[in-house]
Every structure is written in C-alpha cells, then in structure tokens.
Amino acid sequence: MNEQISSILKSVSKPGRYSGGEYGQIIKDKTKVKARFAFCFPDTYEIGMSNLGMRILYGVLNREEDVWCERVYDPWIDMQEKMREHNIPLTACESGDPLTEFDMIGFTLQYEMSYTNVLNMLELAKIPLRSADRGDDMPIIIGGGPCAYNAEPVAPFFDLFNIGEGEEMLPELCRLYIKMKEEGRYTKEAYLHEAARTIEGIYVPSLYDVTYNGDGTIKAYTPIYDDIPTKITKRIVKDLDKAYFPDKVVMPYIETVHDRIMLEVFRGCIRGCRFCQAGIIYRPVREKTPEVLNEQAKCLYESTGYEEMSLTSLSISDYTELEKLTDSLLEWTDDNMVSISLPSLRVDSFTKELMDKIATVRSSSLTFAPEAGTQRLRDVINKNVREEDLMRAVGVAFEAGKSMVKLYFMSGLPTETYDDIAGIAELASHVIQKYYMVHYGKKVKKPQVTISVSCFIPKPFTPFQWEAQDTLESLAKKQEYLGSKITDRKIKYTHHDAKVSRIEAVLARGDRRLADALELACKEGFCFDSWDECFDYDKWISVIERSGIDPAFYANRAFGLDEVLPWDIIDCGVSKEFLRRERDRAYSENTTPHCREKCGGCGANKLGGERTCCPKAKN
C-alpha cells in the first residue's frame, strides 16, 4: 500500500476501499514488465469490484507476461478531500503507484452520469484533462464500454476508444505499444495513427475533423488521413467457449454490491425492444455451452467459496440450453448450499419448472418488466409480451409462496397517452387480484406489488434514437397522474428523478461541444452524479448554459431522419436502415418477431460470420 494513503485511512469511511492487498490480486516484477495498464472504474470500489467486464479484462491483460494490469477506483468524497489536503495523487490498488507512472489508463464507460467521475479521476491523478494537452510522457487514455458507442461528449479527453468487446483489442493495443517502444519509433501521435490504421475497432477522435451546419447539426466527420477508416466497426468475440473467463477473482475485504459468482451465459439479445440500446449494441447472440459454463462455475466456487451464483445475460430465459445448464449446476450446487439466481427473466418464458429450480433463492419477491401499461404501447415498443403472460407468470410465483412482485415500467415512451399511464395502475391492480384468486378461500398475508417507473431516454443505436425526450414538465405531470391512479396500499409506487434522466439524455445524444460543459463541471467539483446525494440539476443546467449550449437541443429535439448523428462515425453492426424500419413499425403499432422466430435482417450476422447472429433463426 502507498504510505501516504496508509497515513490517512483512519480518517475516512470504509478504509477497505483503499487498502489493496486483497486475496487474488496480481503482482508482477516491474523489471520484467514492458507495458503497465491501469484499469479505472469511475465509481466506488464496491461497484467496480462487482463489474464482470472489469474482472474479465483484468485477467486477459495479466495473461500477457510483459503486461501488468492494475485496478483503480474513484475514491469517495471524504477520501478525495484528504488526498487534496495532503497532495496525494490517485494510485493503483496493486502497486500503490501514481497513475502518471503507467503507460496506459483505461476507463470503462458504463453510464453517462459517470463522465464527471472520469475527469475527476484524471484530475486527482494530476493528468491534464484534454488529450491535446498531454505529451509523449503522459499515459495513453483509453475509453470503452457501452457509452463509447457515442463517445463524442468526452472525445476531447480521450486518446482513443475501444469500440466493442475488448478481450482481443486491449492486448493488441499493448503489443503495438511495446513493439513501437522497442523499435524506438514511439510517439503518441505515431502510436495513435498506427492503432487507428491497423487495429479494427479503434476510434481515435483527434484523427477526425467534425464540421457543423448553420442550425447546429453535424455536417460531416472527415478523417485527416487516407489510411484510417471512415467508420469504425465494433469488435466482437466470436466463440465464447474459447474466450477468456477468469477462474479466480480478486476477493474484496469489504462487502460489495455483488458478492457472488457471476457466470456469463451468453452475449447479445434475440429480442428487439425498440428503446433498448444493449439489445442492439451487444448483437449478435453468442452462447456458451452448458459444459463450459458448468466447469467455469465449479472453478469459481472452488476459488471463492461464494454461496450465490448469478447467471448473467440480457435475458437469461432466452438461453437455448437453460434446462440442461440448470440441471448440471444443481447436481453440485445443492449439496454445497449454493443458491442460483436467474435475473432478467421474461414473463413469457417464466415457468413452474424454472420456479422449482430456483426455489433456493432467498428472496421472497420476483421482478418482471412489462415496460408499458397497455398492449398498444407494448406493441409500439416491441416488448412482445401480453397481460395474460404476466398473469400466468405471477400466478406461478404466488402458487410457489411468493407474495411480493416488482414491476418495471417506462414513462414518456413515443406515442404514450394518459390511457397508457393509467394502464400501469390497472395492471398492478390485476396482479393483486391474481394473488387472491390463487389463494382463494385461504388466510394469507397481504401481497405487495411495487411499480418502479423510469423516464424514457432516446439512446443511440435504437429505433427511438431520433425521438425527442418529454420535457420535464410533461414527465412530472405524468408521474403525478399515475400517483393519483394508485389508491391501493398494497401497491407501492416509485419513480426515477426526471431531472437526472434529462441530463442523461443530453449526454447520451451529445456531441463534442459538450466537452466544454463537462470540463467546467469538473473544475466546479462535480462527481458521483449518479448518486442522489451528489446530483444537482440546477448546477448542471448552469454549466451547460454557461458553455453556450441549449440542453433542449440534445434532449428535447427530434433529430432529423436524414441528419448526421453524433454516433454515425461508429458501425455497431446493426444497419441504420433496420433501425428506420423498426421506427416505422413502431408508429404503425406493428411488432417484429424475435430473431429465432424470424430473422429481421438487422445486419449483425456480418460481424460474426454466416448465421452467427441467430443460427437457429428461420429465414
């Protein structure tokens, strides 16, 4: 541990966040290391330690004998104050070395509201915020994760972005860095050009000029070299059975968000919910075999001793071998008292058989996501579930002894009416009625249905990417209206802060001009804006407007269908034509079958080879 850090641990909360020395951490001999990589998670230790992607990439990089990857998390506010008071720079967990001693610094961008944490961490590390202000003696700053699909708001702060999955890209970047260093031809400028030219999936913002029209929309992206791509195609790992997966993980000293085995079952999604960015950018669907998953689960159990295992994916019930997998896991998890958790279950594939297999889950509640209160609006968003599906699913849960159900919805979806909002309350009431129908004539405890309503945010690479977000006033009226429709105390109503959702929409659909506002926010001390106690809407609007930006231009404006979008520089594998078709089908209230029922021609199969996207799909 860094001695300066050690000296102040007694004066901050949760010192285990900063102590390092955890079981399973990787220490290497610096004299044999040719590239040092600091993997930064722009949030607290407890959240970052629970991130599966970070666990995978930490292991992938450390497989390289001459590369040492270390972990870095954003210190909580009390620790930041002490660090600034004592002039202590941000350091890595394993070595305790300052970030300025590293060759590369990678940030995973999971959520737009973490952008201020990224800048805050650079500032704590005493690294200039903007790429243009960093010379050859400074680390290369790399971004990746879902928010990299529209990297423009933070583009001036990064040297390059990994677009897509990083298991192959990051080692390639390190090998190129080592090669150029050993050949004596490394400069930051030369390295960035070579990476953009030779490694697929690498986006270097400084190598592209952006011009604007008179109305403020983007005119064009123009590469400054002829030998770099005009559009960056995302990278995917084609065979997940052969892909790296950690058999050991770093074990924290303190409680984290997910103290459990996280078993990645498959990537991608066969569904086509029209609001969902993840369902598009993680295509094509690629599954692991049950045999591989069972062995990976055993290895992780033996190395961690965790008593809970979560099968992770965007929609676990869409895994084609779920029955075989759960049967093989239960052969040894029951004897070892390991409970299996199946998150992200769909109501149309929830069965009694599945319920029986997860009976060991401790929670007395189940969560489903109808997303909309009426069938009309569910058809608009292509949710492809019906009320009878939900009633059947909750009926199975109630018969199994569950008494609490949580339902997720969205407010502000395109074409939404007040009848759709009232439908949310009606649907919750029908769930309560179903509970008493299942237990008719019996004396039972009261049920509880919790409805959680988030605000629709038009995200890049979705059929709704062109839509305007509702104004704050409109969202507030809808939230109040829904509250007035809920009169049963057995129904609990919660909703997200529309003000946070508006700032998120600005950042999600923004371009490079937002960098000035983000830099000003950093200078004024913004951080942990995804935490309720730290978010201040008025301050956000102030820094945005003082930077000469109208937030409504990004959040509340319908983008033109032929407009150059800030994220058009990226090819996510799904064609813009497909997204346009899906938008048209939304407005005509037509659904699209899922990929295994009928191929929708989204284009994702070109990334993984013939029929990789949905090998079981019908033409």
Side-chain angles (χ1 to χ4, degrees):
M1 187 197 310
N2 182 288
E3 290 184 7
Q4 289 180 297
I5 295 291
S6 178
S7 67
I8 59 174
L9 286 187
K10 290 183 179 179
S11 61
V12 299
S13 61
K14 298 185 180 181
R17 288 167 166 166
Y18 318 108
S19 62
E22 306 103 322
Y23 174 77
Q25 72 170 13
I26 295 173
I27 302 294
K28 293 191 176 184
D29 182 348
K30 291 182 190 178
T31 63
K32 298 178 181 179
V33 171
K34 297 178 181 177
R36 298 188 66 185
F37 195 106
F39 201 128
C40 296
F41 193 93
D43 213 313
T44 63
Y45 176 90
E46 299 95 304
I47 296 174
M49 280 290 285
S50 302
N51 182 264
L52 179 58
M54 191 167 184
R55 292 180 181 182
I56 292 172
L57 294 174
Y58 178 78
V60 161
L61 286 169
N62 279 315
R63 283 197 308 177
E64 306 286 320
E65 290 187 5
D66 52 359
V67 176
W68 186 13
C69 177
E70 303 182 50
R71 298 162 297 124
V72 187
Y73 307 97
D74 201 5
W76 188 244
I77 296 167
D78 59 348
M79 184 62 164
Q80 290 185 29
E81 291 173 351
K82 291 294 180 180
M83 290 170 68
R84 289 188 169 101
E85 178 185 340
H86 296 277
N87 196 30
I88 301 172
L90 187 61
T91 59
C93 291
E94 280 76 3
S95 65
D97 291 340
L99 267 59
T100 48
E101 295 186 14
F102 286 75
D103 301 295
M104 297 179 177
I105 298 174
F107 286 91
T108 178
L109 305 175
Q110 297 290 317
Y111 179 39
E112 289 86 356
M113 299 307 293
S114 71
Y115 289 167
T116 50
N117 282 12
V118 172
L119 301 189
N120 179 57
M121 291 175 77
L122 288 175
E123 189 178 66
L124 283 171
K126 304 185 186 304
I127 294 173
L129 296 185
R130 294 193 179 243
S131 174
D133 298 328
R134 297 192 293 265
D136 292 348
D137 59 331
M138 280 288 169
I140 297 292
I141 309 299
I142 303 169
C147 291
Y149 283 89
N150 179 24
E152 296 309 288
V154 290
F157 309 116
F158 284 84
D159 296 309
L160 63 86
F161 291 91
N162 293 332
I163 307 301
E165 295 161 357
E167 288 101 316
E168 296 168 352
M169 270 193 291
L170 287 177
E172 288 172 11
L173 279 169
C174 291
R175 297 257 63 90
L176 177 63
Y177 178 85
I178 292 169
K179 183 174 184 286
M180 293 183 70
K181 279 281 189 175
E182 289 180 338
E183 292 175 352
R185 59 189 183 96
Y186 175 85
T187 64
K188 175 182 164 182
E189 183 179 359
Y191 174 76
L192 294 178
H193 184 190
E194 189 73 3
R197 188 179 68 83
T198 61
I199 302 178
E200 186 180 31
I202 297 300
Y203 173 41
V204 180
S206 61
L207 302 186
Y208 297 84
D209 288 329
V210 185
T211 52
Y212 301 90
N213 297 307
D215 62 357
T217 59
I218 295 172
K219 184 176 182 179
Y221 282 90
T222 308
I224 66 173
Y225 295 114
D226 293 335
D227 58 353
I228 62 174
T230 56
K231 208 165 198 179
I232 293 84
T233 302
K234 78 171 181 183
R235 288 279 291 274
I236 67 163
V237 175
K238 296 178 183 179
D239 188 342
L240 290 190
D241 272 355
K242 296 178 181 178
Y244 172 84
F245 195 78
D247 54 8
K248 297 178 181 178
V249 296
V250 182
M251 299 294 291
Y253 285 132
I254 65 172
E255 183 178 356
T256 65
V257 174
H258 296 305
D259 285 324
R260 65 186 68 155
I261 295 167
M262 289 188 287
L263 195 65
E264 185 185 32
V265 176
F266 72 97
R267 294 182 189 176
C269 185
I270 64 171
R271 310 290 171 171
C273 299
R274 291 168 179 146
F275 58 83
C276 180
Q277 183 187 55
I280 296 294
I281 63 174
Y282 293 131
R283 293 187 182 197
V285 171
R286 291 142 293 150
E287 295 186 344
K288 291 184 183 179
T289 59
E291 294 77 14
V292 168
L293 287 166
N294 193 37
E295 286 305 309
Q296 290 177 346
K298 285 181 180 178
C299 287
L300 283 170
Y301 171 69
E302 290 169 2
S303 66
T304 66
Y306 281 137
E307 297 177 347
E308 183 178 349
M309 179 191 310
S310 179
L311 308 187
T312 66
S313 68
L314 290 177
S315 177
I316 189 61
S317 45
D318 285 330
Y319 179 53
T320 58
E321 303 279 3
L322 184 58
E323 183 177 355
K324 184 176 180 181
L325 173 61
T326 50
D327 285 345
S328 60
L329 290 172
L330 288 169
E331 287 178 2
W332 60 271
T333 54
D334 277 354
D335 291 342
N336 290 285
M337 301 183 69
V338 177
S339 64
I340 298 175
S341 170
L342 303 178
S344 63
L345 286 167
R346 283 178 59 89
V347 297
D348 56 347
S349 51
F350 185 77
T351 63
K352 184 180 185 302
E353 292 74 22
L354 202 56
M355 186 72 200
D356 291 341
K357 288 182 180 180
I358 61 170
T360 52
V361 176
R362 300 183 184 95
S363 172
S364 61
S365 67
L366 279 173
T367 301
F368 299 109
E371 305 294 1
T374 64
Q375 192 58 49
R376 184 201 72 81
L377 192 53
R378 287 193 291 274
D379 289 345
V380 167
I381 65 176
N382 205 45
K383 187 64 184 178
N384 278 328
V385 297
R386 307 189 69 80
E387 182 172 338
E388 49 263 39
D389 296 322
L390 177 62
M391 293 302 117
R392 182 193 54 77
V394 297
V396 169
F398 293 149
E399 287 172 358
K402 305 287 185 181
S403 60
M404 294 186 289
V405 171
K406 190 170 186 177
L407 303 176
Y408 283 114
F409 296 92
M410 276 192 188
S411 177
L413 288 161
T415 80
E416 182 183 67
T417 67
Y418 277 82
D419 287 341
D420 298 314
I421 298 167
I424 296 175
E426 292 173 15
L427 199 59
S429 295
H430 293 168
V431 172
I432 296 290
Q433 292 168 16
K434 182 68 176 180
Y435 179 83
Y436 286 111
M437 288 172 62
V438 167
H439 297 294
Y440 181 73
K442 302 175 185 176
K443 188 175 182 180
V444 293
K445 62 181 178 181
K446 290 182 179 179
Q448 183 179 78
V449 174
T450 300
I451 57 176
S452 177
V453 185
S454 61
C455 302
F456 166 70
I457 299 168
K459 291 277 183 147
F461 297 111
T462 66
F464 291 156
Q465 65 183 355
W466 294 277
E467 307 306 309
Q469 186 184 49
D470 274 1
T471 63
L472 278 183
E473 293 75 19
S474 176
L475 288 169
K477 287 180 181 178
K478 290 178 178 180
Q479 290 172 342
E480 184 178 352
Y481 178 75
L482 177 55
S484 71
K485 290 292 180 179
I486 298 171
T487 56
D488 190 334
R489 290 187 177 181
K490 294 183 287 295
I491 300 174
K492 181 182 178 182
Y493 168 44
T494 64
H495 59 77
H496 290 199
D497 187 345
K499 292 179 178 178
V500 175
S501 298
R502 187 172 192 234
I503 299 302
E504 186 179 342
V506 171
L507 297 176
R509 304 214 299 169
D511 53 46
R512 293 189 189 184
R513 290 169 292 190
L514 278 171
D516 289 345
L518 286 167
E519 185 171 17
L520 180 58
C522 178
K523 290 179 179 177
E524 297 192 0
F526 287 36
C527 64
F528 292 107
D529 289 291
S530 60
W531 294 66
D532 291 344
E533 60 264 47
C534 298
F535 177 79
D536 189 315
Y537 176 75
D538 292 335
K539 287 184 178 179
W540 263 105
I541 292 299
S542 174
V543 298
I544 291 172
E545 291 179 346
R546 278 186 282 144
S547 301
I549 296 167
D550 177 9
F553 181 81
Y554 299 110
N556 311 114
R557 176 178 69 89
F559 286 11
L561 294 177
D562 297 320
E563 181 179 330
V564 176
L565 304 175
W567 49 92
D568 277 350
I569 188 69
I570 305 299
D571 177 5
C572 78
V574 173
S575 70
K576 206 171 185 179
E577 291 73 22
F578 171 79
L579 299 178
R580 282 280 299 269
R581 290 199 305 271
E582 283 298 291
R583 180 184 182 274
D584 292 341
R585 291 180 68 83
Y587 276 94
S588 60
E589 300 178 7
N590 289 324
T591 60
T592 298
H594 65 71
C595 299
R596 291 195 184 117
E597 185 176 335
K598 183 180 179 182
C599 178
C602 72
N605 62 324
K606 70 184 179 184
L607 291 167
E610 186 177 359
R611 304 307 300 157
T612 299
C613 57
C614 283
K616 301 183 182 181
K618 300 173 185 177
N619 289 321

